[in-house]
Amino acid sequence: MNAASPFAFIDGALDRADHLRDDPDTLAALWPQARVVLLEDDGRACSGDNDALLAPTGEMLGGGPGTAIFLGLHEGVAWFAQRANTVAFDAPGRIDLRAAATRWPAFESTVFAQARAMLHWHTRHRFCGVCGGELAFVRAGWLGRCTQCGSEHYPRTDQAIIVAVSDGERLLLGRQKNWPPRRWSVIAGFVEPGESLEQTVAREVLEETGVRVTASRYVASQPWAFPGSLMLGFLADAGPDIPVVGDELDDARWFDADTIRAGLARDWAVGPEEDEGGIALSAPMSIARWLIQSWLASVTR
């Protein structure tokens, strides 16, 4: 991650160069010097020694762009994403996006996130939702066109809100059943059809915790390629309702500023056998942690 951004997958974004998606001749000319991020079907990237990014050039892979997805340009160099099992290239390692976000430079992890989201869309949308026909990907991988009925399908991004809810003195946090012991985070949930973002904030918080939001405001967003979401960050006010969890959370509680401050000071990855007290909060790469930090700053100024 780069210090310029408070969380991952923001800094170093490519120039997506939309005008080149319909220009196969130019993409073919850029291919020999292009960098290609190779991805397994499970979303992991091929890596080199010490888990560093391994993005061979098009010349090393041979041929032309073919089925590779054009991601964009950086300093005149084209970047593509390609399924690793479609090329003859040996890589010593594999790395997942969460690990890469903590180890790679911001530019590289941001490119990886874009590549992973696009690969997921390709692998999960191979057939037309209208007639069931097979999709042919055109526009350098950014458009799926049905080979039977001609319907067009575009990359999907699932919008989700993520919100730090405060009663003025305390922060509302929840925890899921499958999380490590003592791990807590802010409330999140997907936007439903016909719903504004503010309505989603109020509904999700009420459904998951029983707490009623009285006001909310948007503050920032983060692409979240796990597998293909956009996290829309909010700060919200609520009354001092007693949390009552629904089906999605294992627990929800109000925490005071001292407890939150101690949680932020603790290593987020510490296991229960290493530290028997306090709470552990979201990873530094996430907008969730930034929202928690933003709330703490607002109540301790």
Side-chain angles (χ1 to χ4, degrees):
M1 245 183 335
N2 191 301
S5 175
F7 38 79
F9 315 135
I10 302 296
D11 293 329
L14 293 167
D15 171 5
R16 300 197 175 205
D18 177 82
H19 63 286
L20 293 182
R21 295 174 186 172
D22 283 319
D23 191 347
D25 292 339
T26 298
L27 293 180
L30 290 168
W31 177 255
Q33 301 306 315
R35 302 291 300 279
V36 185
V37 181
L38 299 175
L39 299 170
E40 299 288 357
D41 288 343
D42 63 5
R44 293 178 301 156
C46 292
S47 59
D49 296 335
N50 299 318
D51 288 331
L53 172 65
L54 186 63
T57 64
E59 185 176 31
M60 293 171 66
L61 297 178
T67 60
I69 304 167
F70 173 60
L71 301 176
L73 300 173
H74 177 66
E75 297 180 350
V77 175
W79 283 75
F80 290 82
Q82 179 72 300
R83 294 173 63 191
N85 61 9
T86 64
V87 298
F89 187 83
D90 292 326
R94 304 290 187 274
I95 186 171
D96 64 43
L97 183 55
R98 292 180 189 273
T102 65
R103 302 173 192 176
W104 290 4
F107 167 74
E108 294 180 357
S109 61
T110 298
V111 171
F112 183 2
Q114 181 188 351
R116 189 184 191 280
M118 286 298 295
L119 176 70
H120 180 265
W121 177 63
H122 272 231
T123 56
R124 294 298 180 90
H125 295 82
R126 296 183 293 121
F127 299 97
C128 177
V130 177
C131 73
E134 187 173 359
L135 296 186
F137 290 100
V138 296
R139 296 203 77 234
W142 289 85
L143 172 64
R145 182 172 291 132
C146 179
T147 56
Q148 288 186 182
C149 72
S151 295
E152 295 185 341
H153 302 262
Y154 293 87
R156 171 176 171 171
T157 298
D158 297 319
Q159 295 82 27
I161 61 88
I162 184 164
V163 55
V165 181
S166 173
D167 68 355
E169 296 181 354
R170 299 174 298 173
L171 182 66
L172 180 66
L173 299 178
R175 57 169 282 104
Q176 296 183 8
K177 294 180 175 64
N178 61 342
W179 286 358
R182 297 178 295 102
R183 173 66 51 77
W184 296 80
S185 189
V186 291
I187 308 304
F190 288 103
V191 181
E192 293 188 348
E195 190 174 50
S196 72
L197 299 179
E198 291 80 6
Q199 289 170 334
T200 306
V201 168
R203 175 183 57 78
E204 284 288 345
V205 174
L206 183 63
E207 289 178 354
E208 294 189 12
T209 71
V211 172
R212 295 184 180 275
V213 167
T214 57
S216 63
R217 63 184 180 90
Y218 168 81
V219 288
S221 64
Q222 181 184 30
W224 194 247
F226 301 101
S229 300
L230 177 64
M231 305 303 295
L232 303 157
F234 281 79
L235 297 175
D237 301 322
D241 300 342
I242 298 174
V244 179
V245 296
D247 296 333
E248 297 186 34
L249 295 181
D250 185 49
D251 198 0
R253 301 180 193 174
W254 294 104
F255 291 90
D256 62 28
D258 287 341
T259 305
I260 296 298
R261 187 178 298 106
L264 290 171
R266 180 175 292 106
D267 182 351
W268 72 276
V270 163
E273 70 283 356
E274 300 173 73
D275 182 356
E276 297 181 356
I279 63 174
L281 298 172
S282 307
M285 63 175 280
S286 67
I287 190 174
R289 189 178 185 91
W290 179 78
L291 287 170
I292 294 169
Q293 293 169 327
S294 297
W295 171 81
L296 183 62
S298 73
V299 297
T300 58
R301 278 200 290 262

